Structure formats: C-alpha cells, structure tokens
Amino acid sequence: MANRRRGRVPARALTLWAVAAGTAAGVVLERRHLRRLARDDDYARLSASLDGRPLSARSADGTELHAEAFGSEDGETVVLAHGWTEQLSFWGPVIGRLADRGLRPVAYDLRGHGRSDPAVDHDYALERFGEDLEAVLAAVLPGGRRATVVGHSLGAMSIAAWAEHHDVSARAKAAALVNTGLGDLVSGHLLFGELAKWLNHPLASRMVLGSRTRMPSFSSPIQQAAIRYVAFGPTATRGQIAFYERMLIDCSPDARAATGVALSDMNLYEAVAKLTVPALVVAGDRDRLTPPSHARRIAESLPHLHALVELPETGHMSPLERPDQLVIALVELIDGVSPRPSGRLPSPVSSGGEGS
C-alpha cells in the first residue's frame, strides 16, 4: 500500500504542471500571433502616421480638443468625427481618398479619446459632444465657409446632438451619419437575441455600456475573434481588426464607461429632425451594433434625406471595411450640394470591392 502511494504524483503537482504547460502553450501562440501581425501589410498601412496639420479647439466647457487637417487648404472642408473608443486615425483610409479628390478633410479626437483632453468635470453627456463639434467647426472653417460634417457611430450622434442646439445651416452644407443609432442601442442590436428585451431596462443598459472593465494591454487571437464578431463584417481583414483593437486597448476606461452611460438612455430622434441640410445615411447590412433598422428610422426622421445606402457584407466599421464605397457616397453628397468640375462618381450601392 505504501509503495503504491509513493508512486503516485500528487494532485497539486499535476495541477501546477497543467497550468505551466497551458501558460507555455499560450505564450507560443501569442508570439506566433504577434509575428503574423508584424508581417501584415494591411495593419502596417493603416498604422502609418497620417501626418496631418495639427489644429486645436476649445469646447464650451473648456475641454481642449485635438484635430488635424489634410489635403488642400483651398478644398471644401469635410469634418470627420469618429466613434466610441476610436481615434481620428480611424478615418485614415477615408482621409486619403477625400484628399485625392481635392477636398480638405479635417478629423478630430472626441473628448477623452486619442490626443484630446479628458472631459472637464468628467462630463460626457451627448450635449457636450455636440458642443465639441461646434468648437471644431468654429476653429477650422475660414470666415463664412461651411463644411460637410461626417460622423461614425458616436460621431454621428454628436452631429445630431449638435443640430439640436446650434444653427446648422450657418456651419454645415451637408451631413453624413454612418453606422449609427440615435436611441435603444442595446435593445436594438443583434448581439444578445431575446436577452436584449431585458437589457432594454435603463439599469441593465448602463451595466452593458458603462462597464469600466480594463481591456488586456496586448493583442490576442481570442480578443480579435470577439472584435470581429461584434464589430466587423465577414470580409474584414486581420489588419483592419488589429488596427481597431489597438484603439480599443488605448481608450481610457473612465472615458469609455462615462460615455457608455450617456449612450444608455440616449434618444436623439427629435434632435436629428433639426438637421436641416441634405443628409446621407450609411449602414452595413451585417452591422450587429447598429443594424440597418436604425438607419431606416433615422432616414425617416430627417427633413432632407439625400440617400440611404446599405453596404453589403459590411459590419459596424464601414470607414475601415468599405472606404471606397463610403467615399463615393460622400462625394455624391458633396457634389449634389456644390457640384465640382470632377463630376459625379458611380453609385456606391453597385460597387462591391473593399480596400484600406
């Protein structure tokens, strides 16, 4: 009996061995993942410096905002507002394509994101995001000129919040709302199925959107798989996902959570009705976060709808997944308001390629 006991490996030792083996395997897989990422041309291209001309703006509450201008100073200005947990570099593929068409893209970091300051008094109410847009427009537009304002997700919500309290036609000649919703964000998306009915309760919505959970500080295949499922369409590349993953990791948990709380009980449908300039609405047909049903409701609420475009095989990240089609739609909007010598471009609905 004693001999049999001496021959057994203690359970604790087996457990420690299993943990060590699992950790070692995980390290090997992680290193392989990082090596593949380092060789990914798409990721390298997206991550390259944009080399914009730096600008700054001070919002009504004193929050300092970072912006950058691109292209010709003589071109028509297109102001780009990114989404929740993103940075102005998110617009890189769009910025280059707009600049190539003689336009002047100006992108800015939302409060608490990228190189903009955290919100004064930790105020991330949607009204503050609207004031931020007004401050950027005032700072980047020469006297008397107007811009086309374009927002992705939270950036589009910022446009609606801005329209509610500002003279839209004094600053803008057109607007584009991309991959966004203006209310019922949790109950309206496709991630939770029937559970979304329960999550529609305000307290549950705050728990989902206002989580302060800190993201892992490194890239991983599991994290990228989750991001692909939640935010991207089926044709998204590893480089596109990794590029957004880096922004998500870098986003301040406090700013992310406080903004999420503001989004949890948002209703901007009456506000967007005050967006009186020609407006483009863009949706991805595979967008699980703000499905096309949101875009259709927004289109019905706009007083001057230019077009509703639904991009095929596209998730929540149209500016990364379909920059060519998005820019075509934006140029059609701009030309419809102020025709330029270059003329119209083909319809974005009929084009099916992707690019970055």
Side-chain angles (χ1 to χ4, degrees):
M1 190 72 158
N3 290 337
R4 284 199 298 271
R5 285 177 180 168
R6 277 196 295 270
R8 290 177 181 172
V9 179
R12 183 179 179 186
L14 284 171
T15 301
L16 291 174
W17 179 87
V19 170
T23 300
V27 169
V28 170
L29 290 173
E30 182 65 23
R31 285 178 177 172
R32 288 179 181 173
H33 167 71
L34 293 176
R35 282 199 297 268
R36 285 196 301 268
L37 197 56
R39 296 192 299 266
D40 190 291
D41 291 339
D42 208 16
Y43 179 68
R45 185 165 52 252
L46 288 167
S47 302
S49 175
L50 296 179
D51 296 325
R53 301 182 294 277
L55 301 164
S56 63
R58 182 185 291 270
S59 195
D61 67 351
T63 300
E64 288 286 342
L65 305 168
H66 172 74
E68 295 181 20
F70 306 84
S72 170
E73 285 295 335
D74 296 328
E76 293 193 37
T77 301
V78 182
V79 172
L80 303 165
H82 65 72
W84 188 30
T85 72
E86 298 164 6
Q87 298 176 19
L88 68 80
S89 59
F90 177 83
W91 289 107
V94 171
I95 287 170
R97 287 162 169 81
L98 291 175
D100 287 345
R101 287 161 172 80
L103 297 165
R104 179 191 179 232
V106 175
Y108 70 98
D109 286 321
L110 303 185
R111 58 178 50 213
H113 294 68
R115 294 170 63 184
S116 287
D117 286 350
V120 171
D121 296 327
H122 202 61
D123 189 349
Y124 290 91
L126 268 298
E127 186 177 345
R128 302 291 87 73
F129 285 98
E131 291 171 352
D132 292 350
L133 175 58
E134 173 67 15
V136 170
L137 289 168
V140 307
L141 288 174
R145 294 180 64 177
R146 299 184 298 162
T148 296
V149 291
V150 183
H152 172 253
S153 196
L154 174 59
M157 300 167 197
S158 302
I159 292 173
W162 166 73
E164 186 171 20
H165 299 289
H166 297 87
D167 184 353
V168 171
S169 60
R171 299 283 192 201
K173 60 175 61 178
L177 311 177
V178 182
N179 293 103
T180 197
L182 300 180
D184 299 325
L185 291 187
V186 173
S187 64
H189 68 46
L190 304 178
L191 295 177
F192 300 111
E194 288 298 311
L195 184 60
K197 295 178 181 178
W198 177 80
L199 291 173
N200 193 39
H201 188 281
L203 290 178
S205 295
R206 284 181 173 232
M207 288 172 58
V208 173
L209 297 174
S211 171
R212 280 183 164 77
T213 302
R214 186 174 293 276
M215 297 291 298
S217 60
F218 55 89
S219 175
S220 72
I222 293 176
Q223 184 164 275
Q224 287 192 6
I227 291 171
R228 176 184 289 276
Y229 175 77
V230 170
F232 285 84
T235 63
T237 68
R238 181 194 295 123
Q240 290 167 352
I241 294 166
F243 178 62
Y244 168 66
E245 178 191 38
R246 187 72 256 165
M247 294 183 193
L248 184 60
I249 290 170
D250 290 344
C251 185
S252 158
D254 288 340
R256 186 190 72 222
T259 304
V261 169
L263 299 180
S264 65
D265 57 0
M266 172 187 64
N267 187 334
L268 290 171
Y269 284 103
E270 289 187 7
V272 81
K274 298 181 180 180
L275 191 62
T276 52
V277 294
L280 167 72
V281 182
V282 179
D285 71 343
R286 304 295 183 90
D287 188 341
R288 290 186 171 94
L289 293 173
T290 52
S293 57
H294 283 278
R296 296 182 197 118
R297 184 175 175 187
I298 292 169
E300 292 171 355
S301 303
L302 286 165
H304 193 166
L305 177 67
H306 167 77
L308 170 60
V309 175
E310 188 173 316
L311 298 173
E313 299 291 294
T314 306
H316 188 65
M317 302 297 188
S318 294
L320 291 181
E321 298 178 69
R322 300 284 181 259
D324 284 320
Q325 291 93 320
L326 179 56
V327 168
I328 287 169
L330 291 175
V331 171
E332 284 195 332
L333 170 67
I334 294 166
D335 283 352
V337 176
S338 303
R340 298 177 302 135
S342 57
R344 293 289 187 116
L345 294 172
S347 167
V349 179
S350 62
S351 57
E354 56 183 285
S356 57

